[in-house]
Amino acid sequence: MSVKISGVVAALRATRDKPWSSKGQHALSSKLPSPPAIAGVVDKLSAALFPQHLGHGPGDADAIDYFIGHTLSTALAELEHQVRRELAFSREPSESTSPDAIAKSAAGVIGGFAEGLPDTLEVLKSDIRAAYDGDPSAKSLQEVLLSYPGIKAIIHHRLAHALFRLGVPIIARVIAERAHSETGIDIHPGAQIARSFFIDHGTGVVIGETAIIGERVRLYQAVTLGAKRFSVDDSGALVKGVPRHPIVEEDVVIYAGATILGRVTIGRGSVIGGNVWLTRSVPANSNIIQALARSETFDGGAGI
């Protein structure tokens, strides 16, 4: 090999250490959270939430409690380590970056997250029930939990959303993208999704950061809850964090391939048909379908 590797390494280092933009964005750091470690945390948390299905298996209550305690302790310790990495990387210049300050903040995140796990489990049980009730092919709740991609995606989302709200968006996004890669369902961790949520089939579903979804909503494959346009500031950069995705109220069904864009509201009890393109709000109990295709015949060369 004629390439001088040391020269390439030096050039890569010089390029890597340059600011990523005129605003001085951080260069990538070795202290960033680790996606493989986060994946392991999610698997352990899932096993702790559903020990008889995703973890320990059948057993008496004491044995299951021991398994949950051990698994949670391991998962939360690793998660706290990853949270410290993210906080050390993302702190603003005005915030303390001392190890003690970072450790205290990380402990607060983990404490809040752990305290919320019983509520997370309660909501996930409602999601599993909604999938079972909404799919005539489902034979049991156990089948739904073990095999439905929509349930895998929503388990990841409930965990990611909790962490997103606690101030660790990078870890939350890593969790969300793991579910995306495994299920084809792309839910931003910032999306607010109420209980009894069901995604049937699921491939190609996209739910944006500022979407708000009410209780008992059902989506089918290839549904998009997206943004219609992106605001920019005076310098031409995208304005981040503004509400730009739909609000879907309670008891709405959105069929396959529907695309709903912008900060519009889909009123409660509405049904949005397949392949509909919608950029306006609709009132409660609406039934939105595609316009009927018009069939015409052209006789004697007419219609050219």
Side-chain angles (χ1 to χ4, degrees):
M1 185 171 63
S2 60
V3 176
K4 189 176 180 181
I5 294 297
S6 61
V8 176
V9 170
L12 286 172
R13 179 176 181 177
T15 303
R16 190 173 63 245
D17 290 344
K18 290 178 182 178
W20 282 50
S21 73
S22 59
K23 295 183 178 180
Q25 288 272 353
H26 302 286
L28 288 180
S29 164
S30 61
K31 294 184 179 179
L32 281 168
S34 162
I38 293 167
V41 167
V42 171
D43 288 342
K44 288 182 175 65
L45 291 171
S46 299
L49 290 172
F50 299 101
Q52 293 174 292
H53 302 89
L54 305 179
H56 181 273
D60 62 51
D62 289 341
I64 291 172
D65 283 348
Y66 177 83
F67 168 81
I68 292 172
H70 174 73
T71 304
L72 266 184
S73 295
T74 304
L76 293 176
E78 180 58 44
L79 182 59
E80 186 168 2
H81 177 64
Q82 299 302 318
V83 169
R84 284 186 191 142
R85 285 185 164 204
E86 176 166 346
L87 294 179
F89 170 78
S90 61
R91 288 240 152 164
E92 297 295 332
S94 60
E95 298 178 291
S96 174
T97 56
S98 71
D100 287 345
I102 295 292
K104 183 177 180 180
S105 296
V109 169
I110 296 303
F113 178 76
E115 289 173 4
L117 285 174
D119 290 338
T120 298
L121 176 58
E122 193 64 41
V123 175
L124 284 170
K125 288 170 62 179
S126 77
D127 298 327
I128 294 165
R129 185 76 208 188
Y132 175 76
D133 291 343
D135 185 357
S137 73
K139 301 301 188 289
S140 67
L141 295 170
Q142 290 78 6
E143 176 192 7
V144 169
L145 173 57
L146 291 174
S147 64
Y148 277 39
I151 294 303
K152 174 175 278 192
I154 198 63
I155 289 172
H156 280 68
H157 177 72
R158 300 293 185 198
L159 298 172
H161 183 68
L163 291 165
F164 185 88
R165 290 175 60 87
L166 287 165
V168 281
I170 295 175
I171 292 174
R173 193 60 181 266
V174 169
I175 293 171
E177 292 306 323
R178 185 199 189 205
H180 182 195
S181 68
E182 294 185 0
T183 67
I185 298 168
D186 184 1
I187 309 176
H188 192 285
Q192 300 176 50
I193 303 177
R195 60 190 295 122
S196 300
F197 179 62
F198 175 34
I199 300 175
D200 200 358
H201 306 296
T203 304
V205 166
V206 177
I207 301 174
E209 175 189 12
T210 63
I212 300 175
I213 299 176
E215 295 185 359
R216 299 175 300 280
V217 167
R218 188 185 342 156
L219 309 182
Y220 287 84
Q221 66 271 22
V223 165
T224 296
L225 303 179
K228 184 178 180 182
R229 62 176 60 90
F230 302 105
S231 301
V232 297
D233 61 20
D234 293 339
S235 68
L238 290 178
V239 177
K240 311 254 184 193
V242 297
R244 60 194 183 278
H245 300 101
I247 298 170
V248 180
E249 295 184 342
E250 294 82 3
D251 301 301
V252 169
V253 179
I254 306 177
Y255 282 99
T259 298
I260 304 173
L261 302 180
R263 193 58 161 187
V264 299
T265 298
I266 308 303
R268 67 182 304 159
S270 294
V271 176
I272 309 300
N275 296 317
V276 164
W277 178 278
L278 193 58
T279 58
R280 60 179 175 85
S281 295
V282 299
N285 301 309
S286 296
N287 190 354
I288 308 298
I289 60 174
Q290 293 187 73
L292 294 175
R294 185 175 67 180
S295 177
E296 297 183 356
T297 59
F298 302 102
D299 296 326
I304 305 288

